[in-house]
Amino acid sequence: MYCTHIYFFFAGLTVISTYDKISFNKIATQSHNSASGTGYDASNALDGNTTTCMRTSIIGDNAPYKTVWWKVDLGGVHSIYSINVQFKNYNGYDIRQRGRFAGFSLYVSDIDVSSIAYIKGSTLCYKDGPQLPTLNFTTICTQFGRYVIFYNERLKEVKYPDAYQLTNVVTELCEVTVQGCNHVGIYGSNCDNPCPTNCKDNTCHIQSGKCLNCKPGWTGIYCTTKCREGWYGTNCSQQCVGHCRDGASCDHVTGQCDRGCAAGWTGLQCTKGCKDGHYGYDCINNCSGHCLSDSPCNKQTGHCDSGCDPGYTNVYCNKECTSGYFGLDCRELCSGYCTNDAPCNHVSGICQSGCQDGYMESHCNNTCKKGYFGRNCSRVCFPNCKPDTCRHTDGSCTCAAGYTDYNCTTVYEK
């Protein structure tokens, strides 16, 4: 690992910073090559040797090119602290060289960019002007990125300061040094402090350790504060939906109800009401299915708020009518004449097993028609009975004059 010592002087105190040199011998490219021969490759600016420089074709009023760029691929996204650029100097031509260098920009990007529009759409670290720069230039650039881009231009339509060179503008970078931390998730002048636990993507400011963004569920400069109750997610910007069990707040990270949903709700975040036919905590209970007119039960309590179908009773409508009753709200009395004293159907009141002797129709609530008796009223009363005396259950009757016995078939002799 290559380290660079940077010295800062404050009120007589010397502070030594040893950020990593993260650009050394990395891959570099440039917009165009020098027309003056070989030996001026883009990589020369990263070899640690200030006597070997990269060079491009000229830009300016007398050249076909009006823009120039050079960039280094750091090999991955790094936390950057500073960028140092050493521009080519020639004895006695200091002002000319500074005039060629003048107006440059430094950009940082996460992605590889080559078009001018995309370069200018990257993060701008530094824009030179209007004063002429030094030929050994350093700027603090606390950014995250993979590509560091040097860019300059001489456009016809732009009025530049008088000291700027406008023709024969050759770009010669002898060394570009990008300093920062080689590893993700650390900060500090020695790249030895871990970023706070809850920094998003484990990235923090390279000097202060402040989180650039927090992981979901956390807030504050160092992301050490949980979202306040009732809020969750990125930047604590999402409000809990309020359907967690027992009024509990949702999880400050995910928004989920860790203790389950309140009655009538389901889903990880308890945002879905129970489907018809289900109720209770997490909708695990089934409705009775006997609410009036197939209406759904209450999704919180399971009660049939609109009442019960005929034949059922209590708040859940899951209890059949008491024996001997039937119908809506179990208010109807069975006839009491079902076979073998069986109860009638709790819904319809019908005697499903049939009627006792002497009774007829489905509810067994009508006696046999005149002149008939017995099971299903299928037997005819005996002809020697007095009118209207045949009992509908067993056919017994009062005999007409001159007849006797049970069925009045025996002639009475005096």
Side-chain angles (χ1 to χ4, degrees), residues 67-69 107-109 111-124 149 151-153 155:
T67 62
V68 62
W69 57 259
Y107 292 93
V108 173
S109 173
I111 61 173
D112 192 5
V113 292
S114 296
S115 73
I116 303 306
Y118 281 111
I119 289 174
K120 290 186 174 183
S122 302
T123 301
L124 179 66
I149 306 158
Y151 172 80
N152 211 347
E153 60 188 17
L155 306 177

Side-chain angles (χ1 to χ4, degrees), residues 365-384:
N365 56 354
N366 287 316
T367 57
C368 298
K369 292 180 180 179
K370 185 178 180 179
Y372 293 88
F373 75 95
R375 179 61 57 90
N376 299 324
C377 299
S378 60
R379 299 182 67 183
V380 179
C381 292
F382 301 109
N384 297 323

Side-chain angles (χ1 to χ4, degrees), residues 185-195 204:
I186 56 176
Y187 75 98
S189 58
N190 295 313
C191 295
D192 56 0
N193 296 317
C195 291
C204 62

Side-chain angles (χ1 to χ4, degrees), residues 29-303:
T29 52
Q30 58 195 47
S31 53
H32 38 74
N33 296 315
S34 171
S36 58
T38 59
Y40 301 104
D41 294 341
S43 60
N44 286 359
L46 299 173
D47 61 3
N49 184 354
T50 57
T51 63
T52 59
C53 309
M54 57 75 68
R55 182 186 295 174
T56 64
S57 292
I58 63 173
I59 63 171
D61 292 346
N62 63 331
Y65 296 113
K66 305 302 178 185
T67 62
V68 62
W69 57 259
W70 173 96
K71 66 185 173 187
V72 55
D73 179 358
L74 300 176
V77 175
H78 286 72
S79 180
I80 297 170
Y81 172 70
S82 67
I83 303 171
N84 171 260
V85 182
Q86 296 187 52
F87 201 74
K88 178 72 172 179
N89 195 6
Y90 295 94
N91 290 333
Y93 292 95
D94 180 83
I95 296 300
R96 184 197 71 179
Q97 293 299 95
R98 292 171 64 193
R100 289 177 172 178
F101 197 21
F104 73 95
S105 302
L106 294 174
Y107 292 93
V108 173
S109 173
D110 289 341
I111 61 173
D112 192 5
V113 292
S114 296
S115 73
I116 303 306
Y118 281 111
I119 289 174
K120 290 186 174 183
S122 302
T123 301
L124 179 66
C125 260
Y126 179 80
K127 177 67 175 80
D128 181 60
Q131 303 300 320
L132 295 182
T134 63
L135 297 181
N136 188 344
F137 171 84
T138 299
T139 186
I140 302 300
C141 176
T142 54
Q143 297 290 338
F144 285 87
R146 175 170 178 168
Y147 298 88
V148 173
I149 306 158
F150 171 93
Y151 172 80
N152 211 347
E153 60 188 17
R154 292 294 186 267
L155 306 177
K156 269 191 173 183
E157 63 273 17
V158 175
K159 173 66 176 176
Y160 294 99
D162 292 341
Y164 279 38
Q165 292 288 311
L166 302 181
T167 59
N168 297 321
V169 180
V170 178
T171 298
E172 297 175 284
L173 308 182
C174 296
E175 197 66 24
V176 177
T177 304
V178 182
Q179 295 159 346
C181 292
N182 265 317
H183 302 290
V184 176
I186 56 176
Y187 75 98
S189 58
N190 295 313
C191 295
D192 56 0
N193 296 317
C195 291
T197 302
N198 297 314
C199 290
K200 185 179 180 182
D201 300 324
N202 201 23
T203 55
C204 62
H205 191 280
I206 194 169
Q207 291 175 285
S208 66
K210 295 177 181 178
C211 297
L212 305 185
N213 293 290
C214 296
K215 292 178 180 178
W218 299 91
T219 188
I221 295 175
Y222 298 101
C223 302
T224 54
T225 303
K226 287 183 177 181
C227 298
R228 71 181 190 273
E229 186 171 326
W231 296 83
Y232 76 98
T234 302
N235 299 322
C236 298
S237 61
Q238 294 172 276
Q239 193 166 11
C240 299
V241 295
H243 299 304
C244 295
R245 186 166 184 166
D246 300 326
S249 183
C250 71
D251 183 271
H252 68 106
V253 176
T254 64
Q256 296 178 5
C257 294
D258 295 333
R259 294 171 54 193
C261 299
W265 298 92
T266 188
L268 291 175
Q269 295 182 336
C270 301
T271 56
K272 300 176 181 178
C274 296
K275 294 180 179 179
D276 287 351
H278 299 272
Y279 75 96
Y281 295 120
D282 291 311
C283 305
I284 62 174
N285 300 310
N286 294 322
C287 299
S288 67
H290 300 302
C291 294
L292 186 64
S293 302
D294 288 327
S295 60
C297 73
N298 184 293
K299 294 178 180 179
Q300 282 76 45
T301 64
H303 295 177

